[in-house]
Amino acid sequence: APDGRTLATLELGGPAARGGEVLGVHRNALIETLTEGLRCKPRLATTLRAIRELGDGVEVELTDGSCEAFDLVVGADGLHSSVGRMLFPDELPRFCHYRAWRALVERRRSDPPDAIFRIAPQTYFGSFPVSDDLYYLFGHEHGPDDAESAGDGAGQLRRLAERYDPA
């Protein structure tokens, strides 16, 4: 409701009803798990300068001056992706009036043990534990491109979360 009251709660059922348990994972733990069996590890603190297709893979040139050949390049580098610009130079990102805020905070005993997802007109807010010590918060909002959206990220997330009943 506009005043922040919860109008309905949807019971999603236990883990078996969803086909498995819903888990929150810290990004570093996810990267470690996904790359555990790879022959090479993710390259951090360097940027892609060029990609050249080879017959059976790609060669990449990095800003640290190195060149290497790989079977696969994953461009998980965000909205202004250098990989995306190299592969799709005519496709530019455009503002679609969605804003997102994220925070990783120390987990308190009073935090809910499961994921929470709340929806209101043009916004949603959620939270879930990612470890025994950490809690992940996120908020999304659809609205005009205005000066209000450019403020303090933590303050904007707090403002968005205040629209909902505390759980």
Side-chain angles (χ1 to χ4, degrees):
D3 64 3
R5 290 177 296 120
T6 299
L7 297 179
T9 301
L10 177 62
E11 178 57 49
L12 298 175
R18 294 188 302 267
E21 201 173 343
V22 175
L23 299 173
V25 179
H26 190 279
R27 177 180 290 189
N28 290 345
L30 178 63
I31 289 171
E32 286 176 19
T33 301
L34 291 175
T35 61
E36 197 170 83
L38 297 178
R39 291 186 308 254
C40 63
K41 297 298 178 193
R43 299 289 295 268
L44 305 176
T46 189
T47 305
L48 204 62
R49 182 176 286 150
I51 301 174
R52 287 179 281 288
E53 287 191 48
L54 304 173
D56 58 349
V58 293
E59 180 182 66
V60 297
E61 180 184 340
L62 302 172
T63 54
D64 67 4
S66 64
C67 287
E68 294 188 46
F70 297 100
D71 297 328
L72 172 73
V73 172
V74 176
D77 54 341
L79 175 66
H80 300 286
S81 166
S82 60
V83 175
R85 279 194 311 273
M86 287 178 212
L87 297 176
F88 308 103
D90 297 330
E91 299 292 326
L92 299 175
R94 60 185 164 83
F95 182 62
C96 294
H97 302 280
Y98 287 94
R99 292 177 290 276
W101 295 273
R102 302 192 183 330
L104 194 59
V105 297
E106 285 187 31
R107 191 168 176 187
R108 302 169 302 194
R109 273 190 290 205
S110 61
D111 289 330
D114 298 314
I116 293 182
F117 192 75
R118 296 181 175 99
I119 302 171
Q122 300 194 0
T123 67
Y124 64 87
F125 180 81
S127 59
F128 56 87
V130 293
S131 73
D132 290 338
D133 303 328
L134 296 172
Y135 211 72
Y136 180 71
L137 309 173
F138 61 93
H140 290 211
E141 180 176 45
H142 182 267
D145 184 15
D146 57 17
E148 180 184 346
S149 67
D152 165 51
Q156 294 294 326
L157 182 60
R158 190 175 301 109
R159 176 188 59 80
L160 187 62
E162 287 171 352
R163 296 181 187 175
Y164 301 93
D165 277 345

